[in-house]
Amino acid sequence: MITLTEIVKDGILEVRFSLEDCESKIYTISNAQGVDIMQGKITGKTQRTCLYVGDCKKGKYTFSLDETNTQEFTIQ
């Protein structure tokens, strides 16, 4: 299970993990049209990470972690 900052105002998306097995997972951020705009890898056992999304335009986006955990967030 993941928890995101639902409304991003300062360009930083905070991702919190409650899963024990979040080691070496691939994440994808896609826009409202479903186009992947950012992808990366989270390595190590972590409970929280921050991603810079300040280069993205205002709007709705989807954060996916290995296509099993998906959550929407908004950049204002």
Side-chain angles (χ1 to χ4, degrees):
M1 184 85 180
I2 57 173
T3 306
L4 300 178
T5 307
E6 292 183 16
I7 299 176
V8 177
K9 293 183 181 178
D10 56 358
I12 304 295
L13 174 66
E14 183 179 340
V15 184
R16 292 179 300 279
F17 302 99
S18 61
L19 297 173
E20 297 269 333
D21 60 348
C22 280
E23 190 170 339
S24 299
K25 298 284 187 178
I26 302 293
Y27 71 86
T28 304
I29 296 177
S30 49
N31 62 14
Q33 291 77 28
V35 177
D36 294 347
I37 58 167
M38 190 181 297
Q39 187 174 23
K41 185 175 184 178
I42 299 171
T43 58
K45 293 188 178 186
T46 184
Q47 293 180 347
R48 180 175 25 191
T49 190
C50 294
L51 303 172
Y52 178 72
V53 293
D55 292 336
C56 299
K57 295 180 181 179
K58 294 180 181 180
K60 293 189 180 269
Y61 294 87
T62 303
F63 178 89
S64 301
L65 186 66
D66 287 343
E67 298 180 10
T68 56
N69 294 306
T70 302
Q71 189 171 344
E72 291 187 358
F73 66 96
T74 303
I75 297 178
Q76 291 187 339

